[in-house]
Amino acid sequence: MPSAEPSILPRSRRREFLLFACLFVAAVLAYYWPVLRSGQTLCRRVLSDASAYFAFLPWDVFTRDCLLSGTLPLWDPFQGCGTPQLANYQSSVLFPFKLLLYPFPLTAEPVRGVPVLDLYFYLRLVVAGVAAAAFLRRIRISFTGSLLGALTFTFSSYLVVHADMSHLGAEVTVPLLLLAL
């Protein structure tokens, strides 16, 4: 008799989760298709902002260089007379999605056609949508209601307008935090 392995999600819920993931990848790609098709990037818009160009991007590059060299970025000697890097909440050194960025070059130049920072921006929206849908299903909202609620959250004016800003990391993790309760 085969032994059943314990699972976090039952099989039907896993199918729903995969369906939500596919739907949100498709929705984000469809929404941003004009940007992708035209060759523009969200990243270039971010880098046109002075705070992003002189603070956020250098922090990310410095963090990447430190982590790839095997050291923790505790102190950034390049900002003024030196500033805490790991303790700076805006640099978000240990933000889980940013950890996925660090193996790649952090520039506006594309890697296989799409800038890495753009993939990071799109990933946050997909995760926000899938987590919101999963949370709504957990509190027993119907599949259709969960999908509509999560689409509303993901494509709300706030998340869409700020999709390219680094502070959005906190907002997109709210559904994950609610799901963890």
Side-chain angles (χ1 to χ4, degrees):
M1 181 168 163
S3 63
E5 291 184 27
S7 174
I8 295 173
L9 292 171
R11 176 169 270 178
S12 63
R13 291 289 186 200
R14 281 185 274 175
R15 286 188 194 138
E16 275 187 5
F17 184 80
L18 288 174
L19 181 57
F20 281 138
C22 292
L23 287 172
F24 277 95
V25 167
V28 168
L29 287 176
Y31 186 82
Y32 287 104
W33 183 248
V35 174
L36 292 168
R37 187 172 42 104
S38 68
Q40 298 175 354
T41 69
L42 293 175
C43 180
R44 291 203 194 281
R45 190 170 131 199
V46 171
L47 296 180
S48 67
D49 178 30
S51 64
Y53 189 76
F54 292 109
F56 296 117
L57 185 62
W59 287 337
D60 290 342
V61 171
F62 175 72
T63 299
R64 175 190 179 276
D65 292 345
C66 284
L67 291 176
L68 290 179
S69 70
T71 60
L72 274 177
L74 300 174
W75 188 261
D76 182 358
F78 303 112
Q79 296 281 327
C81 292
T83 59
Q85 178 74 355
L86 190 62
N88 178 354
Y89 68 91
Q90 286 189 311
S91 64
S92 58
V93 170
L94 299 176
F95 183 61
F97 301 155
K98 271 201 178 174
L99 293 174
L100 298 173
L101 284 179
Y102 296 140
F104 304 101
L106 299 178
T107 65
E109 300 310 312
V111 174
R112 294 189 184 200
V114 179
V116 172
L117 291 174
D118 273 13
L119 291 175
Y120 169 67
F121 300 142
Y122 299 138
L123 172 70
R124 291 187 304 182
L125 291 174
V126 169
V127 169
V130 172
F135 169 70
L136 292 171
R137 286 298 286 155
R138 175 172 280 170
I139 60 171
R140 296 188 176 104
I141 305 296
S142 70
F143 179 86
T144 306
S146 298
L147 182 61
L148 289 175
L151 281 169
T152 301
F153 174 69
T154 303
F155 295 105
S156 66
S157 60
Y158 182 80
L159 291 186
V160 169
V161 168
H162 297 294
D164 58 353
M165 298 305 289
S166 62
H167 66 76
L168 193 66
E171 289 86 342
V172 300
T173 56
V174 168
L176 287 173
L177 295 173
L178 292 172
L179 191 58
L181 293 176

